[in-house]
Amino acid sequence: MHEDPARGRVGECALEVYPPPVKATATCARYRAKGAPPPPPPPRAAGQPRGSGGRSRAPERAPSPERRAHAAPPPPRSPLPREIDIDMDIDEFRRVLREVLSEELGVGRAEMGGRWEGGEIVLRPGKEGTAEKRIPLDVFFHKIVMLRDKLRVLEQKINGHEGLSDAEKVQLQAYITGCYGTLTTFNVLFARREDGFTGSGRDSD
C-alpha cells in the first residue's frame, strides 16, 4: 500500500481481479474479511457429484496403442455352471429343497397343538402383593422351537468338528442329550410328537 496524491491509499488486488492501483476501500464479490467464514459452495445441479464445484470434468483420454499393447490382459472368466436337468415340477423341487435345508441347518417347521392355541402361561408368585406374569403360549412355544433348533445345530457342529476326538464328541453329545431329556416336558405343546425332544430314556417323560 502507498499514498497516491489523487486517490489516497492505493495498492494491488490480492486476488488479481482488478488491475492496480486499487483504492484501499474498494471491494469485489470475492472479497472476504480476515477471520470471516468461507462462503457457502455454489448449488449443485441434479446428478452432479459433490466436490465438483460446478466445474465439468475433462474427458478421459483414450490410451495410446503403445500403452494398450503393454497393458496386462484381463483375467479369464470362470466358466458358467452347466444346467442340471432335473425331472420334477416346482412344487416337488420346493419340497426337496426344504428337506435339504432342514437336514443341513437342523431347523424345521413345528406346529403347536390345537388345544393350546390362544392359551397363556401364568406365573403366579408365592409372595402376596406381587403381580403375576402372563405369557402367551404361542410366544412361549416359538422360544421352545428356537431352543430345539439351536441344540440341533450345536449337535451337528460337534459331530462334524475336526479338532475334537471321538471321546470328546461322545462326552459333549451326552450333555446335549441330557438337555433334550430335560426339555421333554414341553413335548405336550407340539402337534406332532416326533417334532419334540428326545432324551436318553430315563430323562424323558
Side-chain angles (χ1 to χ4, degrees), residues 54-66:
R55 297 185 299 270
S56 59
R57 296 178 58 184
E60 299 181 358
R61 296 182 179 179
S64 62
E66 293 79 5

Side-chain angles (χ1 to χ4, degrees), residues 54-197:
R55 297 185 299 270
S56 59
R57 296 178 58 184
E60 299 181 358
R61 296 182 179 179
S64 62
E66 293 79 5
R67 297 183 64 180
R68 288 198 299 265
H70 294 285
R77 296 183 179 180
S78 57
L80 296 176
R82 296 181 179 179
E83 296 182 358
I84 302 177
D85 187 12
I86 302 178
D87 187 14
M88 63 174 64
D89 57 13
I90 186 64
D91 294 332
E92 180 70 12
F93 176 75
R94 288 176 177 174
R95 185 189 64 79
V96 173
L97 182 59
R98 283 195 298 266
E99 292 180 358
V100 172
L101 293 177
S102 177
E103 181 179 354
E104 291 296 326
L105 300 179
V107 297
R109 300 169 61 183
E111 297 181 1
M112 187 173 63
R115 62 173 175 158
W116 304 110
E117 294 181 359
E120 60 182 5
I121 294 178
V122 181
L123 302 178
R124 184 173 295 110
K127 184 178 179 180
E128 296 183 359
T130 55
E132 62 185 16
K133 176 71 173 180
R134 293 178 177 269
I135 305 173
L137 265 180
D138 55 345
V139 175
F140 181 76
F141 179 74
H142 177 68
K143 294 181 182 295
I144 292 295
V145 173
M146 289 179 60
L147 179 60
R148 180 205 64 176
D149 293 342
K150 297 297 183 182
L151 284 174
R152 290 180 177 179
V153 173
L154 178 60
E155 187 176 12
Q156 291 184 1
K157 294 292 185 181
I158 291 174
N159 293 333
H161 200 289
E162 298 179 355
L164 297 174
S165 63
D166 293 340
E168 291 172 332
K169 291 180 180 180
V170 171
Q171 184 180 12
L172 294 175
Q173 181 65 43
Y175 290 124
I176 296 179
T177 304
C179 293
Y180 286 148
T182 304
L183 294 170
T184 52
T185 304
F186 304 110
N187 284 347
V188 67
L189 297 175
F190 289 86
R192 297 187 305 174
R193 186 78 175 187
E194 57 270 20
D195 291 337
F197 302 93

